[in-house]
Amino acid sequence: MKKFSYLLLLIISAVLVLAACGGKENENEGSIENQNESGNADGDLLAKVKDSGELLVGTEGTYAPFTFHDESGKLTGFDVEIAEEIASRLGVKAKFMETQWDAMFPGLDSERFDMIANQVGIKPERQEKYDFSDPYISSSAVLVTPADNNDVKSFEDIKGLKAAQSLTSNYGEMAKSYGAELVGIDGFNQAIELLNSNRVDVTINDKLTVLDFQKQKPEANIKVVAEADDAAQSGLMFRKGSETLVKAANEALNEMIEDGTYNEISEKWFGENVLE
């Protein structure tokens, strides 16, 4: 009788051990599924985007003519239309998540959005941490001053002067490299406001943005005094591990260039092809 009870106890113990192992295995499988669904390195971000039907796009919404609100309040601009066209070719809708420039990279890191469309310059130090699409914009940096300033004529002249810049942008770093004192801003319009109120001396910004602003507001009291020799290239930016989505975005961009859609969007906003 004792032998039978001992044997029964062994059988029950074995069953309990197997059940526990099975539970842990299922728990691990669920964890992997959750990682895949969140678009982490082990997952497929393109599949996640297609499953959700939305491409989450980080952008400023205050940076004309790339991403801004028109008179009706609608978000529009060159980057907005490029992102919308890419999303359409992926079979999904673009959902824009607006945020200040300095919060944009952390937003991508925290998976608040899937990519950034905001004329982000492609730089080696950024490529170490992020993935980029093929370039889709090529433009030079220009130095802007109040119209009545005749002392600043080159980038070398801004040493010790106050420059209105987004602190983590290419242009902010450029101003700093020439010895300017940076005054942080949320966007280009604020830089112009600070210039007009004489709270800063200069700003370095994108040539296309400045030309568009002058076209829209010819009475603006600003002028371009210098232009950088080398053109910077910009791309759509993604978290590392987003290879499937980056590949699909590049394929969409190439299709847009080949079928003329890219040129149509570029001509609409700039009157020329800004990739050439």
Side-chain angles (χ1 to χ4, degrees), residues 51-68:
D51 287 344
S52 68
E54 292 181 332
L55 176 65
L56 305 182
V57 184
T59 197
E60 278 181 285
T62 58
Y63 187 38
F66 299 97
T67 161
F68 67 104

Side-chain angles (χ1 to χ4, degrees), residues 246-272:
V246 175
K247 181 181 178 181
N250 281 336
E251 289 174 353
L253 274 172
N254 289 332
E255 289 174 1
M256 290 163 61
I257 293 170
E258 290 176 1
D259 65 24
T261 304
Y262 175 89
N263 192 63
E264 289 179 8
I265 296 174
S266 186
E267 287 279 351
K268 172 183 175 180
W269 290 102
F270 305 108
E272 61 182 71

Side-chain angles (χ1 to χ4, degrees), residues 25-169:
E25 186 176 21
N26 291 335
E27 182 181 338
N28 290 335
E29 288 176 359
S31 177
I32 292 172
E33 287 177 3
N34 290 336
Q35 289 178 1
N36 289 344
E37 289 174 0
S38 68
N40 289 334
D42 293 334
D44 184 339
L45 184 54
L46 177 61
K48 170 184 170 288
V49 167
K50 289 191 172 186
D51 287 344
S52 68
E54 292 181 332
L55 176 65
L56 305 182
V57 184
T59 197
E60 278 181 285
T62 58
Y63 187 38
F66 299 97
T67 161
F68 67 104
H69 290 265
D70 63 19
E71 294 179 357
S72 70
K74 178 185 177 183
L75 180 67
T76 188
F78 176 76
D79 281 81
V80 172
E81 290 197 14
I82 291 291
E84 287 176 335
E85 183 66 25
I86 288 175
S88 176
R89 292 178 187 236
L90 296 181
V92 300
K93 295 283 187 181
K95 180 178 180 180
F96 294 95
M97 317 288 284
E98 295 180 55
T99 186
Q100 296 177 358
W101 170 266
D102 290 333
M104 201 166 297
F105 290 13
L108 184 64
D109 294 338
S110 64
E111 302 184 16
R112 184 183 171 203
F113 26 80
D114 305 311
M115 77 176 194
I116 292 175
N118 206 96
Q119 203 202 9
V120 182
I122 301 173
K123 300 168 58 178
E125 56 267 37
R126 286 178 181 160
Q127 289 174 305
E128 291 179 3
K129 185 174 181 182
Y130 300 99
D131 287 337
F132 280 87
S133 70
D134 295 335
Y136 72 108
I137 302 173
S138 181
S139 183
S140 301
V142 292
L143 178 61
V144 181
T145 70
D148 58 357
N149 185 321
N150 297 315
D151 297 325
V152 178
K153 299 177 181 178
S154 70
F155 290 101
E156 287 75 15
D157 293 336
I158 69 173
K159 184 176 181 179
L161 300 183
K162 292 182 178 180
Q165 309 292 158
S166 295
L167 300 180
T168 57
S169 69

